[in-house]
Amino acid sequence: MSARSIGADVDSVGRRDRPLAVTVDGTSVAGVHGQTLATVLLADGRSHWRTGPDGGSRGVFCGIGVCFDCVATVNGIPDVRLCRRPAQDGDRVTTQNRSAAQ
């Protein structure tokens, strides 16, 4: 997945993106309908949103929902795979921390 976003004014395909906004740890993040939550976060420059038991940062690894590295809490539901979850306007994403040092 790429963090590069193409604006509608320079898109040769001529899409007409419909904007949306999600909240990540209390911060509003812009996206467009059709993106997964992982792509919204990647386009915002975020490379990780979970801390593993060993303290390591986790984000998108496989990008197809097999590895579970990209999980976060969405609208109060923990362990949602962000690479598989279509973004919806108003979603609330909370990063997860499973670090042993917690």
Side-chain angles (χ1 to χ4, degrees):
M1 293 182 188
S2 172
R4 197 179 107 167
S5 181
I6 299 171
D9 57 331
V10 294
D11 183 4
S12 61
V13 176
R15 293 178 301 205
R16 296 291 178 234
D17 294 334
R18 293 180 300 142
L20 59 78
V22 300
T23 303
V24 182
D25 292 334
T27 302
S28 183
V29 176
V32 295
H33 286 273
Q35 288 181 307
T36 64
L37 283 170
T39 57
V40 171
L41 272 63
L42 286 170
D44 190 52
R46 298 167 187 258
S47 61
H48 64 278
W49 42 86
R50 179 173 77 86
T51 304
D54 63 354
S57 299
R58 300 287 187 263
V60 172
F61 180 71
C62 74
I64 59 172
V66 175
C67 72
F68 291 85
D69 264 2
C70 67
V71 297
T73 300
V74 179
N75 301 328
I77 301 169
D79 300 327
V80 175
R81 292 175 288 177
L82 300 192
C83 71
R84 304 268 312 177
R85 170 71 159 64
Q88 297 177 10
D89 198 30
D91 276 343
R92 294 177 329 278
V93 178
T94 306
T95 57
Q96 293 184 174
N97 185 344
R98 297 228 168 93
S99 172
Q102 202 178 14

